Amino acid sequence: MGNNFQPLIVGSMPAEQQRINDLLMAGVEQPQLLFWQYDEPAVIMGCSQRPDEGQIARAESAELPLIRRRSGGGAVFAGPWMLSVTVFIPPDHPLAKQNIIEIFSWLEQIWIDTLTACAVPCKGVDQAMIDRSKIISQEQDLKWACYASLSHGEVVSHDGRKLVGLAQIRKRKGIALVSGLHLSPCDWHQLSAIVVDNPQQGSALARLNSDAQSLSGTAAEQLLPDIISAFLERLPDDFCQKTV
């Protein structure tokens, strides 16, 4: 599949969340993909994180939207440096019968094969890495940040820095597997300044994370179409080119 095929939408985080919600509410009738790149920076809180007055004020001062998503997990700094890929699975699809570890492992392998094909060195995570990351997150008081620890199915650099984060939204009419790839570095200090009023925690987050541009030595804008094409090529036949 050549670089001319670009099923990519560039838009806001609220617009992406609305599209995901609309499809899940209407019902997922066939496997589909949503490739989304954010057109502006925004701080995204997990569904269990309720922004307080301080966070709201700091976000307003920085002129950044502060949004809650429908999936769980910690805070994320989304922006043009991130590619969001959502895989929609019908409730009667064989994948929908798998537990969360199995279905995330399926998606993890697609991401590993995709990034490796694009010369982005990476690997999956195991239980020991997950356990260790949670200890580090606790010790460094970073549990509030989504990219501070690892979970099943996520993808890291060879030295263990997070590259792809995953989340799941499971509804009666379908499943959405949401993944976020850092194409290029983001400003972890600004995220920390807004969420916990401590920009210095950004240094710790920067050490725990990586991005496709830094790992490959290729500019993010050059990598992006190749990553999308490689991802589509590695999906099962019933997913082929069925983009939202």
Side-chain angles (χ1 to χ4, degrees):
M1 195 174 300
N3 290 350
N4 292 330
F5 180 63
Q6 280 296 292
L8 176 68
I9 297 174
V10 179
S12 69
M13 174 70 177
E16 179 206 29
Q17 291 295 294
Q18 189 61 53
R19 186 169 295 217
I20 292 171
N21 185 62
D22 288 347
L23 184 54
L24 289 175
M25 291 294 291
V28 182
E29 297 182 354
Q30 62 181 0
Q32 297 179 65
L33 276 292
L34 176 63
F35 293 93
W36 198 284
Q37 187 177 23
Y38 305 112
D39 59 358
E40 62 179 8
V43 175
I44 317 300
M45 309 287 277
C47 63
S48 63
Q49 294 178 312
R50 190 176 300 276
D52 60 30
E53 292 182 0
Q55 292 167 335
I56 293 170
R58 292 190 294 272
E60 289 178 350
S61 178
E63 299 183 343
L64 286 171
L66 183 61
I67 303 160
R68 289 176 73 197
R69 63 182 181 273
R70 292 178 174 87
S71 59
V76 174
F77 196 22
W81 52 83
M82 179 175 283
L83 172 65
S84 174
V85 181
T86 303
V87 180
F88 295 94
I89 300 170
D92 58 351
H93 193 278
L95 283 169
K97 312 305 179 186
Q98 295 184 345
N99 64 40
I100 189 169
I101 294 177
E102 292 170 336
I103 200 169
F104 274 176
S105 295
W106 169 81
L107 184 56
E108 176 187 61
Q109 192 58 55
I110 290 174
W111 267 118
I112 292 171
D113 292 345
T114 294
L115 293 170
T116 300
C118 296
V120 180
C122 63
K123 65 179 183 179
V125 302
D126 57 27
Q127 189 62 54
M129 294 171 65
I130 293 171
D131 293 343
R132 178 59 181 160
S133 76
K134 295 187 186 306
I135 293 172
I136 292 173
S137 176
Q138 177 75 33
E139 290 176 344
Q140 300 189 19
D141 198 23
L142 295 172
K143 292 180 69 176
W144 57 269
C146 182
Y147 281 77
S149 60
L150 302 172
S151 298
H152 291 284
E154 295 186 329
V155 179
V156 297
S157 62
H158 283 314
D159 60 358
R161 290 173 293 149
K162 192 165 178 174
L163 186 60
V164 178
L166 299 181
Q168 176 187 229
I169 307 172
R170 189 176 286 261
K171 299 292 185 181
R172 184 173 60 85
K173 293 183 178 181
I175 298 170
L177 302 179
V178 186
S179 50
L181 164 70
H182 278 108
L183 294 164
S184 57
C186 79
D187 189 343
W188 297 106
H189 294 86
Q190 188 165 39
L191 175 66
S192 301
I194 290 172
V195 178
V196 293
D197 197 19
N198 183 1
Q200 295 308 311
Q201 283 199 332
S203 298
L205 285 171
R207 289 192 294 270
L208 295 174
N209 287 275
S210 191
D211 62 274
Q213 176 175 282
S214 299
L215 291 171
S216 67
T218 302
E221 57 268 23
Q222 185 176 341
L223 278 173
L224 180 56
D226 291 340
I227 288 172
I228 292 174
S229 294
F231 192 97
L232 287 165
E233 288 170 358
R234 281 154 181 82
L235 287 168
D237 289 343
D238 58 342
F239 282 81
C240 186
Q241 295 195 26
K242 290 184 174 62
T243 52
V244 177

